[in-house]
Amino acid sequence: MTTQTLTFAAARSRAHGPTAALWHAVEVHRAPADLDGACELTVCGTLARVTTDQHWPVRALDACPVCAVQAR
């Protein structure tokens, strides 16, 4: 039996109107180098740009609460 480990990358969304930009979690299924700068679907369903400068979980106050719960 194979055990699968989930790995998450940090991604930053853009602010839209009254919505603030937040840090989100993206489930990684390929090499992190392939994700750098790419726009990906986050754990909560938002599109956000992945960055390798930050690691999930981010140590920021502006992290998405849904991603924080679902990407434990």
Side-chain angles (χ1 to χ4, degrees):
M1 183 187 324
T2 305
T3 303
Q4 184 176 359
T5 303
L6 293 178
T7 304
F8 297 96
R12 187 75 171 170
S13 64
R14 293 192 314 172
H16 295 286
T19 305
L22 295 175
W23 285 104
H24 295 271
V26 173
E27 190 175 347
V28 177
H29 295 285
R30 54 192 183 277
D34 293 341
L35 297 172
D36 190 26
C39 209
E40 297 282 335
L41 188 64
T42 65
V43 173
C44 71
T46 301
L47 284 176
R49 192 162 307 278
V50 175
T51 180
T52 56
D53 296 340
Q54 293 284 335
H55 299 283
W56 186 264
V58 293
R59 301 198 187 283
L61 298 176
D62 57 346
C64 170
V66 176
C67 285
V69 170
Q70 293 183 1
R72 288 191 213 179

